[in-house]
Amino acid sequence: MKVLTVNLGRPTPSVHSDATDGLTGIGKQPSDVPVRVADPGPKGSGGSGLAGDAVCDLRHHGGTDQAVYAYAREELDAWEEQLGRPLPNGAFGENLTTLGLAVSRARIGERWRIGDELVLEVTSGRIPCRTFAGHLGERGWVKRFTREGATGAYLRVVEPGTIRSGDPVEVVHVPDHDITAALEFRATTTERELLPRLLDAGDALHTETLRAARAYLAKQSPAS
């Protein structure tokens, strides 16, 4: 298992961006130099966990629970076949394009060591947005991506470090529940009745997902 490429984005104008300045960093390119990765701070003020990577809409992207986004090369290859077009590493706006790692099936709270220092923890799947659809230029992309459910994974930084393209990935912790990034994605999008089940993942969940799951359960529970 390894990181094929570490991908960074620069602020670029886009008519599909929801950022107030009309910029997006979704168009990411592989870096040919080492990249420092650290906790960027809370969502709303913290951006990407990767130094030099642009996050332009801090309302919806970036922050501690979405510090890093990973997507499997194998899933990009499957999309290439479906779409009939090449998808280079970074095409989905992912920071890490991996090989040999079942990213969408990774469990919430699963930890990966990348290189010698960095440790990341899976927090959630990725919900597609208008900017993502506009970036790819595929009609009906949000619905299609949601239906497929190959969501990739957002991760938080447990131990900061410097990484580079080609670094090995070691799974150093696998929780004993069965809540995957893909299941979390389904629960927060098309199958909200699954939200209470996510609580098995505990505090490892993305903070917003944890709050939503608790609120859903409270509404379903009879008053005492």
Side-chain angles (χ1 to χ4, degrees), residues 13 41 71 169 220:
Y71 206 79
V169 179
Q220 303 304 310

Side-chain angles (χ1 to χ4, degrees), residues 110-128:
E110 185 171 306
R111 293 187 175 187
W112 308 343
R113 181 178 297 279
I114 302 177
D116 297 327
E117 305 171 310
L118 182 67
V119 177
L120 302 177
E121 182 178 74
V122 177
T123 65
S124 70
R126 180 258 195 91
I127 295 178

Side-chain angles (χ1 to χ4, degrees), residues 45-84:
S45 58
S48 174
L50 285 78
D53 180 48
V55 171
C56 300
D57 186 355
L58 298 178
R59 298 169 302 167
H60 304 298
H61 303 289
T64 295
D65 292 335
Q66 296 174 187
V68 180
Y69 178 53
Y71 206 79
R73 182 63 247 181
E74 293 88 343
E75 291 179 332
L76 283 175
D77 291 342
W79 278 116
E80 281 190 341
E81 291 186 13
Q82 288 194 42
L83 300 178

Side-chain angles (χ1 to χ4, degrees), residues 1-179:
M1 299 181 291
K2 67 178 181 179
V3 172
L4 286 177
T5 54
V6 179
N7 312 307
L8 306 177
R10 295 183 178 181
T12 304
S14 171
V15 297
H16 306 287
S17 173
D18 290 324
T20 55
D21 56 8
L23 299 176
T24 178
I26 196 171
K28 301 192 188 303
Q29 299 292 325
S31 173
D32 57 3
V33 298
V35 177
R36 184 69 181 173
V37 184
D39 181 359
K43 189 174 182 178
S45 58
S48 174
L50 285 78
D53 180 48
V55 171
C56 300
D57 186 355
L58 298 178
R59 298 169 302 167
H60 304 298
H61 303 289
T64 295
D65 292 335
Q66 296 174 187
V68 180
Y69 178 53
Y71 206 79
R73 182 63 247 181
E74 293 88 343
E75 291 179 332
L76 283 175
D77 291 342
W79 278 116
E80 281 190 341
E81 291 186 13
Q82 288 194 42
L83 300 178
R85 54 182 278 198
L87 294 171
N89 293 350
F92 277 18
E94 76 273 14
N95 298 117
L96 308 178
T97 309
T98 66
L99 185 68
L101 195 62
V103 178
S104 296
R105 298 194 301 277
R107 298 182 191 184
I108 303 298
E110 185 171 306
R111 293 187 175 187
W112 308 343
R113 181 178 297 279
I114 302 177
D116 297 327
E117 305 171 310
L118 182 67
V119 177
L120 302 177
E121 182 178 74
V122 177
T123 65
S124 70
R126 180 258 195 91
I127 295 178
C129 62
R130 189 172 73 98
T131 304
F132 185 21
H135 170 66
L136 280 185
E138 292 288 340
R139 187 182 181 91
W141 178 249
V142 169
K143 289 183 178 179
R144 187 169 185 177
F145 184 86
T146 300
R147 185 170 59 249
E148 189 72 20
T151 179
Y154 277 122
L155 305 104
R156 63 171 64 94
V157 180
V158 177
E159 296 178 15
T162 299
I163 60 172
R164 55 186 53 78
S165 298
D167 270 350
V169 179
E170 178 187 4
V171 177
V172 295
H173 172 68
V174 179
D176 59 5
H177 59 72
D178 64 351
I179 309 304

